[in-house]
Amino acid sequence: MKTLRAVLCGLFVAALFVGMAKAGDIRVFLVTMDQMDQHWTNVDVGCKRAVAEVGGVNYTWMAPDMKDDNKQIEIINNTVAAGADVLLLAANGPTAVTSALREAQSAGVKIIYVDSPADFPAIATFSTDNKAAGKTAGDEMLKALKAKGVTSGKIGIVGVNAATASTAAREAGFREAFEGQGYELLATQYGEGDIARSKDIAANYIVQGCVGVFGTNEGSTVGTGNAIREDGNRIVGVGFDNSDTIRNLIRADSLLCAMVQNPDVMGYLALKAAKDAVTSTGYTGPKVVDTGVTVMTKSKLD
């Protein structure tokens, strides 16, 4: 019965979106990891800005309510059933969606990655250089610890999951920054980007005596900042992404800084590439585009 309901739901979605498309419009779907983070909302904003510029695009953003490979696969299948011309995808895991992407490609769907690619060929990827950004986060924490006279101690990392390529690269870059510096980096703990779970993980790191905690995405960062705030802002917290909550945590000294990506740029450039991809010449730009990152600190918010 559940399988039948899922099939009927997919057919309904397909009929709905086909009915919405205007004659001659290309159909572009953005499929992100979830709907929880403001990061994805900003990707959608960038896509919509590009749609308004290029015209001739029927654009839809779809995402699971939370990070879940099976739910993301179902949504990818629904976009194919809806007659997608181009799929803009932020893959929850690099390999979980491979079969769904192979089927999409066989159906003639062109694939472009935003933020987090899968291990499957695509026209282009628009994302942050996540390893470099993770190293910058580590460098910022290291400078702050040394400024406080803390030259050793344990460091915790609140990750999303082991499979997500973007956050795994951030972890790798962060660890690289501490190589040979005399600190002990503990095993990464994963909270799936959920704020409450991430807060519990960060609080546990604090109980273990950590002098710093790193959050690898928006939910992980907010959870980390909340735990540090409840502990009296005694340790150094750094994170990723930009939201009102993260900015307030930085202002309150519960986070030192956050690595701010440019999700709107990811969406904007990816949507323009999608329009190019269906022309006679096709997309002719770079295969991988680094959309940049900046360090957001309290002084930059004042």
Side-chain angles (χ1 to χ4, degrees), residues 54 108 183:
V54 303
Y183 297 85

CSV table of all heavy atoms in Angstrom, one decimal, residues 54 108 183:
chain,number,residue,atom,x,y,z
A,54,VAL,N,16.9,35.5,-17.5
A,54,VAL,CA,17.0,34.7,-18.8
A,54,VAL,C,15.7,34.4,-19.4
A,54,VAL,O,15.6,34.3,-20.7
A,54,VAL,CB,17.8,33.4,-18.6
A,54,VAL,CG1,19.2,33.7,-18.0
A,54,VAL,CG2,17.1,32.4,-17.7
A,108,GLY,N,17.2,11.8,-20.6
A,108,GLY,CA,17.6,13.0,-21.2
A,108,GLY,C,17.7,14.2,-20.3
A,108,GLY,O,17.9,15.3,-20.8
A,183,TYR,N,47.4,20.1,19.4
A,183,TYR,CA,46.1,19.9,19.9
A,183,TYR,C,45.6,18.5,19.5
A,183,TYR,O,46.1,17.9,18.6
A,183,TYR,CB,45.1,20.9,19.3
A,183,TYR,CG,45.4,22.4,19.7
A,183,TYR,CD1,46.4,23.1,18.9
A,183,TYR,CD2,44.8,23.0,20.7
A,183,TYR,CE1,46.7,24.4,19.3
A,183,TYR,CE2,45.1,24.3,21.1
A,183,TYR,CZ,46.1,25.0,20.3
A,183,TYR,OH,46.4,26.3,20.7
